[in-house]
Amino acid sequence: MKFGELIPLIGALLNFSLGVFVLFQSPRSPVSRGYFLLASSFAVWNYGTIWMFRIPGGLEHAGEALYWARFLQFGVIFIPISLCHVSFLVAQIRIPKWIMAGAYSFHVLLFASNFTDFFLQGVKNVGYAWYSVAGTGFWILSVIFSLVWVSVVVLIWHRRSLPPMAKRRLTPLIFAQVAIAFFGCNDVLPILGIYYYPYTDYQVYPFGSMAAIFYGVIVGYSVLQYQLLDVRVTMNRGGAKAVRVLFIFFAGLCVLLVLWLFKKDAFSFYSFFAALGTLMFGAVCAAVLFPKLFGESSETVERRILGDTFEYQDQVRKFIESMTWYSDLNLLLNDLHDLFTRVFQLGSYVIIMRDETNRLFEIVRSHPAHPVRQCPELRPQSAVFRYFEWTNGEYLPLDSDDLYTRTSQLARQSREQLAALEARFCFPLASEGEIFGLLLVGDKTSEQFTANDISLLITLVKSMSLMVNQIRLKTQILQSQELDLLGKMSRGMAHDLNNLLTPVWTLLQISSETDHAEPLDPELLPVALRNVQTMRAYIKEALFFSENLRPDLQLGRLDLVVRQAASVASASRKKDVPVAISVPGEELVEMDEVLIQRLIANLISNAIDASRPGTQVRVELERLGKTEANRDWLRVRVVDQGEGIPKENLSRILMPYFTTKNRGDENRGFGLGLAICRKIVNLHGGHLSIASQPKKGTTVQVDLPTRQIKQVMPQVATSA
C-alpha cells in the first residue's frame, strides 16, 4: 500500500467507526442519525479515494477507475446536505419537514444520476491518482457544495447566543467544519478541470481526506469531552489516558503524512512506520512513567492543548475558574444545570434561594422540575440553617445512617425538614456568614458519590455563593440607580407641570367666580392656551422617552433626511440664524427616517436656540474611513457659534430632565430633547458625542452605520 492511500483509509475507518458509535449511543436522536449519514458519506468518499490512488494509470484501467469514481461520488453527494442538517440540529434551528424532504429528494436524484454520464463524463489520470471528470450534474453539486459554508455560518451564529461554557463546546466543531469546507472545495478543483493552483506550478492535491481525519478527531474529542451530539460517555482515568495517546498518534500520523507529501523519496515503508512506532512508544512511556505530562499537574501545557477534561473533575475546576465571567443569574444557573446533569450526572438537584423582596425562600431551579416553588417551612431560624451556623459545616448528609451526624438532633431535624425534596446531600449558599440559600443534590445516575465528589461540590458551592451574591449586589445597585433616576424625573415633571398649570388654573378660577358678562383678562387666555400646548408637547416627549420603541428600519437617503430636518428646524425657530448644509451627495442608510429626522431636527433646533442672531449653524454629513468589512459609517455634525456649555454641565447634558433652557417662553426646555436623541441613536446602533467650549460654541456629533446588524438576544431560562 502506498503512503498516500493511508490518508483516506484512516479517514474512512475513523469516521465510519465514530458514526456507528454515535448512532448506537442514541439511535433515536435525530442529530445522531444525521451524523451517522454524514460519517458514512465521509467513509464512502475516503474509501473510494483509496482505489483512485491504487488503480494503475494505463487507459486499459479507465473503466475500473470510473467505477470507483462513481462509488466515491455517492458519498460526496450527501456531504453538503447532511453536514448542513447536522449543523441546524446542533444549533437547534427548526427547518420545516417539507424543506428537508425536498432537499434530500433532490440529492437522491443526483445520487441516481451518478449512474449516468450526466453526473460524470469520465475519468482522467493526473500522475499520482485518477480524478473524475465533471458532468452537468457534478457542476450542479459543486454549487450546492456551498452549503458546507452555510453550516459554518449557522454554528457561528448559534455560538453568539450561547453561555460561556456552551461556547467552548462548539468552538472545536466550528474549526473542524471550516477545514472540511476549505479542503473540500480544494478537492473539487481537479474534477472541474483545475489541476494546478492559480498562478503556481503546484498540482492540486486531495487534502480533503486529511480534513476528514481532522473532523473525525475533533468530533470524537468533543463527544468524549463535551458530550457533543447528545452522547454521554463516562471515562475513568485509564480510559482518558488511552484517548490522549490515540490523539497524539493521530497528530503524529498527520504530520508524517504531510512531510511525505513534500519529500516522498526520503521515506521508505520501514522509516515511516518506525517513526510512527517510536512516537507511540514515547507517548505510552510518558503516560506511565511521567504522569504529570498528561495533566496530573495544574500548570502543564498538555492540559491546555489536549483539554484534560475527559475526567469530570477537571471540567468542574475549569467551570469554577470561568465563574467570574458571569453577570447574569439565569445564564449561570443554565450552565450549572448542564454541569450537574452531564458532568456530575446527578439524577436530581434543587437550588433554593431567598427572595430579597419578600425574604421568603423559593426553589429557583430544580431537576426534575419541582411542582412547588415556595418553601414556607424554611425560615432563618430553621433547623438546617442553625445546623450550618452552629457547626460551620460545609455540607450535611441527609442519610440517617451517616456516622458523623446521626447523633446530632439538629441534623435529624434538618433531615425531617428536607425529606420531601428527596436529596442525598445539602450544601449551604452563604455570603459573609449569612446563609441565603441551599443546594440539595440527589443520587448520581452512574455510580456512588466519592470523597472527591463531595470536595468538588464544596468548592463549587463556595464559588457559586460568591458569584450569586455579586450578581445580586449588581442588580440592587442598578435598581437603586433606576429609582434615583425615577425620583429625579418625578420631581422635574411635577415642578414643570405645576408651573405650566398655574395660569390655566387662574383662568378657570376667574371664569367660575366672575360674571360671564364681564370680559376676561385678554393676556391670560393666550398664556393659558400656550401653556396647555406646551404641556401636550411635554407629555408627548415623556411618552416617547418611556416607550420601548422598535425602529422601522428601511433603506433611505440620509442626505435628504438631513435637508428636511434642517428645513423643519428653521421653520420652528423664528430667529436670524441661517443653517448651512454640507452633504457629499447621495448616501443610502438603513434607518427609521421619521426618528432620524426628529433626531437631526432636534439637534439643529438646539443649535439655533444657543446661537446669537447673525451667526450661523453648520450641518455637515461625511463618510468615515473604512473600519468594518461589511458596512460603512456616516457622521452628522451640527456646529453652532453660541455661548457653549459650561464644563460642569457637559457631563449631565444627556441626562433626562436636565435642561439649561429654563425660561418660561415657548422655547422652554424640559430636559428630554437630548435624552431622546441619544435613545434614537442607540436604537440605530450609533454613537452620539458632544464637545463644547465656553464662548466658542458647541459641536454635536452623531455616527450612524449604513447597515444594521441583527442582535441575537440570549434566551432567559425560567425557574422550575
Side-chain angles (χ1 to χ4, degrees), residues 543-555:
L543 290 174
F544 179 89
F545 184 76
S546 63
E547 287 176 348
N548 186 17
L549 295 176
R550 291 187 178 181
D552 180 18
L553 300 173
Q554 302 289 338
L555 198 62

Side-chain angles (χ1 to χ4, degrees), residues 381-420:
Q381 295 302 316
S382 297
V384 62
F385 298 118
R386 286 187 286 128
Y387 172 82
F388 287 119
E389 290 171 357
W390 293 359
T391 64
N392 290 324
E394 295 178 321
Y395 75 102
L396 170 64
L398 299 181
D399 187 351
S400 58
D401 295 331
D402 179 68
L403 177 64
Y404 299 100
T405 60
R406 63 185 179 185
T407 58
S408 170
Q409 183 177 2
L410 272 178
R412 179 178 57 79
Q413 293 174 351
S414 301
R415 294 190 187 100
E416 294 175 354
Q417 194 172 41
L418 301 175

Side-chain angles (χ1 to χ4, degrees), residues 61 89 93 104 284 527 551 624 641 643:
H61 299 287
L89 290 172
I93 299 176
Y104 274 107
V284 173
V527 172
L624 301 180
Q641 302 172 18
E643 293 296 323

Side-chain angles (χ1 to χ4, degrees), residues 18-153:
L18 187 59
V20 172
F21 172 77
V22 169
L23 183 65
F24 282 176
Q25 290 293 319
S26 185
R28 295 185 178 181
S29 171
V31 67
S32 297
R33 288 179 288 185
Y35 178 74
F36 177 73
L37 174 61
L38 175 62
S40 301
S41 300
F42 280 142
V44 171
W45 165 39
N46 292 151
Y47 187 70
T49 304
I50 296 173
W51 289 97
M52 300 297 279
F53 275 90
R54 289 182 64 88
I55 297 173
L59 291 177
E60 64 274 13
H61 299 287
E64 185 180 1
L66 180 60
Y67 170 82
W68 286 108
R70 297 192 189 281
F71 177 86
L72 71 87
Q73 294 301 334
F74 286 133
V76 174
I77 287 171
F78 284 102
I79 287 176
I81 182 64
S82 56
L83 188 65
C84 199
H85 191 193
V86 169
S87 299
F88 276 100
L89 290 172
V90 171
Q92 299 178 355
I93 299 176
R94 291 184 176 273
I95 303 296
K97 291 183 179 179
W98 64 270
I99 293 181
M100 294 308 303
Y104 274 107
S105 298
F106 182 77
H107 282 74
V108 169
L109 292 177
L110 287 178
F111 182 91
S113 71
N114 190 29
F115 292 99
T116 68
D117 293 339
F118 175 79
F119 195 83
L120 293 181
Q121 293 182 353
V123 290
K124 180 178 180 179
N125 190 274
V126 296
Y128 59 84
W130 289 89
Y131 266 103
S132 307
V133 177
T136 304
F138 190 87
W139 280 96
I140 295 174
L141 178 65
S142 65
V143 175
I144 299 175
F145 200 80
S146 61
L147 285 176
V148 298
W149 290 107
V150 173
S151 69
V152 173
V153 173

Side-chain angles (χ1 to χ4, degrees), residues 400-680:
S400 58
D401 295 331
D402 179 68
L403 177 64
Y404 299 100
T405 60
R406 63 185 179 185
T407 58
S408 170
Q409 183 177 2
L410 272 178
R412 179 178 57 79
Q413 293 174 351
S414 301
R415 294 190 187 100
E416 294 175 354
Q417 194 172 41
L418 301 175
L421 299 176
E422 299 179 353
R424 284 287 309 279
F425 297 96
C426 177
F427 299 86
L429 301 175
S431 174
E432 299 180 355
E434 182 182 4
I435 300 176
F436 62 86
L438 300 171
L439 168 65
L440 296 101
V441 300
D443 289 317
K444 297 177 67 175
T445 58
S446 57
E447 55 189 13
Q448 296 296 320
F449 279 97
T450 64
N452 193 38
D453 294 331
I454 302 301
S455 176
L456 285 172
L457 283 170
I458 291 173
T459 306
L460 176 65
V461 167
K462 289 181 178 179
S463 300
M464 175 184 169
S465 300
L466 179 62
M467 286 310 305
V468 170
N469 187 57
Q470 289 182 1
I471 292 172
R472 287 191 164 192
L473 286 176
K474 290 178 182 178
T475 303
Q476 291 175 2
I477 291 173
L478 290 176
Q479 290 176 349
S480 176
Q481 292 176 344
E482 290 176 359
L483 290 174
D484 182 55
L485 178 60
L486 181 61
K488 291 180 180 178
M489 292 171 61
S490 301
R491 289 193 299 272
M493 183 175 290
H495 179 267
D496 292 335
L497 291 177
N498 182 62
N499 290 339
L500 292 168
L501 281 172
T502 299
V504 180
W505 171 255
T506 302
L507 177 64
L508 294 175
Q509 190 175 25
I510 293 175
S511 299
S512 63
E513 293 178 354
T514 61
D515 187 0
H516 293 287
E518 297 182 9
L520 295 174
D521 187 346
E523 296 182 359
L524 190 59
L525 183 58
V527 172
L529 291 174
R530 188 181 64 192
N531 283 12
V532 170
Q533 184 178 2
T534 303
M535 283 190 291
R536 292 183 62 187
Y538 185 17
I539 294 171
K540 185 177 180 181
E541 284 193 353
L543 290 174
F544 179 89
F545 184 76
S546 63
E547 287 176 348
N548 186 17
L549 295 176
R550 291 187 178 181
D552 180 18
L553 300 173
Q554 302 289 338
L555 198 62
R557 290 183 56 181
L558 182 58
D559 56 304
L560 294 181
V561 173
V562 170
R563 293 185 184 276
Q564 293 167 359
S567 176
V568 171
S570 299
S572 65
R573 295 295 192 267
K574 299 177 181 179
K575 195 173 183 180
D576 182 21
V577 179
V579 178
I581 302 173
S582 173
V583 294
E586 184 176 319
E587 295 290 355
L588 294 176
V589 175
E590 190 177 1
M591 60 182 172
D592 187 319
E593 291 191 11
V594 175
L595 294 181
I596 294 298
Q597 181 174 324
R598 178 171 185 173
L599 158 70
I600 299 174
N602 200 346
L603 296 179
I604 296 174
S605 298
N606 287 345
I608 293 175
D609 291 341
S611 299
R612 296 184 300 273
T615 60
Q616 185 185 72
V617 171
R618 300 197 319 273
V619 182
E620 303 167 354
L621 173 63
E622 61 180 346
R623 181 177 288 268
L624 301 180
K626 192 76 172 179
T627 58
E628 297 182 29
N630 56 354
R631 62 178 181 175
D632 295 326
W633 284 77
L634 296 171
R635 174 169 292 170
V636 179
R637 298 173 74 242
V638 179
V639 184
D640 66 56
Q641 302 172 18
E643 293 296 323
I645 302 172
K647 187 176 181 180
E648 62 272 14
N649 292 339
L650 196 58
S651 60
R652 300 185 293 166
I653 200 70
L654 293 174
M655 293 177 59
Y657 293 94
F658 176 82
T659 181
T660 57
K661 295 189 293 183
N662 50 14
R663 302 181 306 275
D665 60 5
E666 64 273 10
N667 294 329
R668 187 189 191 284
F670 300 103
L672 287 175
L674 285 176
I676 289 174
C677 289
R678 182 173 63 173
K679 180 173 182 177
I680 294 174

